[in-house]
């Protein structure tokens, strides 16, 4: 049985700090607004939607108490609608879609809403604690370091200079600005207040004026942490071929901290026909892959290779890729390892320009890729993200 994506909707992304436009909007409201938008767009018979699966990384405070069910209840879809929240760190939004597809393919469910939400202005990254990063008994023997150290380790090991990663960041900003001006983000909706007045109608973090000269003035974000806290030594102990960590990443070439929510509607063929819905894409493959937790962020390439093998495809069968720009070195390594040129990857910019709302990003990338494949009249796309702790996730979609 096939699992189809009938539609994808996301909010604009707001800066995830106290000055961000969406700080006054709860994550429940962000998720509710995409649910309501989906319902209204398709005049959807919500009694046929069985479950809501939402990725969310910081499941405390405003995002605690199963935010998926909270949003489902708040959406007025009906008391029947169930909800489950999941956490595969940065891959959560794509994991939600993959789990929905698995339910549909198995015949256990007919119609599911899957996506993610993260309000990083209200629930700060790391607010949920956790043994992996907080317990020395786990972190020390695992050679676990902060993600920024891992990104700089990748850059050092593979020879990406500060100039290289800054150049990549400028391209991300330029592409996002061009796509935004051209209206290519068709799955995007504005966020409104309780009176229906627009709060934010564009991705707040895009900076069209970004230049390499400007980025060159920014100090490396992780150099002091690496030296003072000893994380550089931990990484070098694990990778002794690296004599010293070259700290090249900073706020301008790393993913921006933002707020946002996104969903997809995933179902089988029969329910689509019954509800008069036209499928846009089918999910061809979904894969995960574990990696060394020290270098941590190298999972996209092996996860993608695993997904391609599962689908009986090779990298040349993929028309466009969305590779999450957690740090510039991540998609750069993916391009080198997969032999894919930059003109097929993140053609409308990425998280460096628009931001990475942790639990929602994988779903946002899926919607962006769907829109662009349709715009260019192309067929196949691959979405992949690196994941904290040493994982990668990838999915392949194909136009119907």
């Amino acid at each position: 049985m096939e699992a189809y994506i009938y539609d994808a909707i996301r909010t604009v992304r707001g800066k995830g700090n106290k000055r961000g436009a969406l700080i006054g909007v709860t994550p429940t409201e962000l998720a509710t607004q995409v649910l309501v938008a989906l319902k209204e767009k398709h005049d959807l018979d919500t009694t046929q939607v069985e479950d809501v699966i939402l990725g969310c990384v910081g499941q405390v405070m405003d995002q605690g108490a199963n935010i998926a069910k909270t949003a489902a209840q708040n959406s007025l879809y009906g008391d029947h609608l169930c909800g489950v929240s999941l956490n595969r760190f940065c891959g959560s939004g794509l994991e939600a879609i993959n789990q929905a597809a698995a339910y549909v393919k198995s015949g256990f469910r007919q119609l599911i809403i899957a996506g993610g939400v993260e309000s990083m202005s209200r629930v700060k990254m790391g607010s949920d604690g956790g043994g992996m990063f907080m317990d020395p008994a786990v972190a020390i023997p695992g050679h676990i370091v902060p993600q920024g150290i891992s990104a700089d380790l990748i850059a050092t090991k593979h020879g990406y200079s500060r100039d290289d990663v800054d150049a990549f960041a400028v391209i991300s900003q330029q592409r996002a600005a061009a796509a935004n001006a051209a209206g290519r983000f068709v799955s995007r909706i504005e966020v409104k207040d309780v009176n229906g007045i627009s709060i934010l109608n564009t991705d707040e973090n895009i900076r069209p004026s970004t230049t390499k000269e400007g980025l060159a003035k920014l100090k490396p974000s992780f150099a002091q942490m690496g030296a003072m806290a000893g994380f550089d030594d931990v990484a070098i102990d694990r990778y002794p071929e690296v004599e010293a960590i070259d700290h090249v990443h900073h706020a301008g070439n790393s993913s921006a901290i933002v707020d946002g929510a996104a969903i997809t509607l995933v179902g089988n063929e029969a329910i689509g026909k019954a509800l008069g819905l036209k499928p846009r894409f089918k999910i061809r493959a979904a894969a995960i892959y574990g990696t060394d937790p020290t270098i941590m962020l190298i999972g996209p390439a092996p996860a993608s290779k695993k997904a391609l093998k599962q689908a009986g495809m090779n990298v040349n069968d993929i028309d466009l890729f969305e590779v999450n720009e957690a740090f510039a070195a991540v998609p750069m390594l993916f391009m080198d390892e997969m032999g894919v040129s930059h003109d097929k990857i993140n053609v409308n910019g990425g998280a460096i320009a628009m931001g990475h709302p942790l639990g929602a990003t994988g779903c946002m990338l899926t919607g962006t890729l769907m829109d662009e494949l349709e715009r260019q009249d192309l067929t196949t796309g691959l979405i992949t993200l690196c994941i904290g702790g040493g994982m990668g996730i990838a999915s392949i979609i194909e136009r119907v």
Side-chain angles (χ1 to χ4, degrees):
M1 186 181 296
E2 297 286 0
Y4 295 101
I5 303 177
Y6 286 97
D7 208 355
I9 293 177
R10 74 165 175 95
T11 67
V12 293
R13 298 168 170 101
K15 291 182 178 180
N17 56 47
K18 62 182 180 181
R19 297 179 298 277
L22 301 183
I23 190 170
V25 184
T26 67
T28 296
E29 182 59 25
L30 289 174
T32 298
Q33 290 200 21
V34 286
L35 287 166
V36 171
L38 179 70
K39 174 184 175 182
E40 293 178 347
K41 180 179 179 180
H42 296 283
D43 191 22
L44 185 63
D45 179 0
T46 60
T47 65
Q48 300 303 304
V49 183
E50 298 165 85
D51 206 357
V52 175
I53 306 175
L54 290 184
C56 184
V57 176
Q59 294 187 31
V60 294
M61 297 180 286
D62 283 350
Q63 294 177 168
N66 190 357
I67 191 168
K69 175 56 179 171
T70 305
Q73 201 68 41
N74 198 49
S75 70
L76 303 180
Y77 271 48
D79 292 343
H80 75 285
L81 185 57
C82 297
V84 61
S85 303
L86 61 84
N87 181 9
R88 197 186 285 282
F89 293 157
C90 302
S92 299
L94 190 58
E95 176 67 21
I97 295 172
N98 293 348
Q99 288 195 18
Y103 273 125
V104 170
K105 283 177 171 287
S106 71
F108 288 174
R109 307 276 193 279
Q110 287 199 91
L111 192 63
I112 301 174
I113 288 172
V117 61
E118 205 82 34
S119 177
M120 301 180 76
S121 63
R122 298 173 71 96
V123 182
K124 303 301 181 184
M125 189 160 47
S127 295
D128 55 339
M132 182 182 295
F133 305 109
M134 307 297 290
D135 185 353
V138 177
I140 291 173
H143 287 79
I144 295 170
V145 297
Q147 287 190 22
I149 303 296
S150 298
D152 286 340
L153 173 60
I154 290 171
T156 304
K157 193 170 185 293
H158 294 275
Y160 304 139
S161 68
R162 171 67 183 265
D163 192 62
D164 294 334
V165 291
D166 282 355
F168 185 95
V170 171
I171 292 171
S172 181
Q173 290 284 356
Q174 291 173 342
R175 289 180 174 183
N180 189 50
R184 293 181 191 171
F185 300 125
V186 296
S187 63
R188 185 179 69 181
I189 64 168
E190 63 184 352
V191 175
K192 301 178 180 180
D193 66 13
V194 293
N195 298 310
I197 299 172
S198 178
I199 298 174
L200 184 65
N201 62 11
T202 191
D203 293 306
E204 193 175 17
N205 196 71
I206 298 174
R207 300 183 298 275
S209 60
T210 300
T211 63
K212 280 177 62 177
E213 293 73 23
L215 294 180
K217 298 175 183 178
L218 299 177
K219 293 182 179 180
S221 295
F222 309 103
Q224 185 173 3
M225 175 191 298
M228 300 293 288
F231 289 121
D232 282 2
D233 292 336
V234 173
I236 292 169
D237 184 58
R238 181 67 179 83
Y239 289 88
E241 67 271 26
V242 175
E243 294 183 4
I245 304 296
D246 185 12
H247 291 285
V248 299
H249 288 95
H250 51 75
N253 58 32
S254 307
S255 56
I257 293 172
V258 295
D259 304 335
I263 56 171
T264 56
L265 184 64
V266 180
N268 63 22
E269 183 178 15
I271 193 67
K273 288 181 176 179
L275 296 176
L277 298 169
K278 182 180 178 181
R280 293 174 61 187
F281 286 81
K282 64 180 177 181
I283 300 167
R284 283 285 303 269
I288 54 171
Y289 193 95
T291 72
D292 163 38
T294 306
I295 203 161
M296 193 184 307
L297 308 174
I298 61 172
S304 297
K305 291 175 182 177
K306 188 176 178 182
L308 287 165
K309 183 178 180 181
Q310 185 185 115
M313 304 170 73
N314 64 59
V315 70
N316 296 318
D317 295 323
I318 303 299
D319 295 316
L320 293 175
F321 299 78
E322 284 289 328
V323 184
N324 189 38
E325 296 174 357
F327 300 89
V330 173
M332 291 172 68
L333 178 63
F334 179 88
M335 290 188 290
D336 287 345
E337 292 191 332
M338 299 295 290
V340 179
S341 65
H342 199 179
D343 61 5
K344 294 178 69 173
I345 289 180
N346 303 353
V347 297
N348 290 320
I352 290 172
M354 291 179 285
H356 174 22
L358 304 180
T361 304
C363 186
M364 288 190 171
L365 297 183
T366 303
T368 297
L369 186 58
M370 290 167 59
D371 292 342
E372 187 62 20
L373 287 167
E374 290 172 339
R375 189 184 76 83
Q376 293 194 36
D377 195 22
L378 298 173
T379 303
T380 57
L382 186 150
I383 310 103
T384 185
L385 300 92
C386 61
I387 302 174
M391 293 182 283
I393 188 169
S395 298
I396 297 171
I397 60 174
E398 181 181 297
R399 279 180 72 190
V400 176

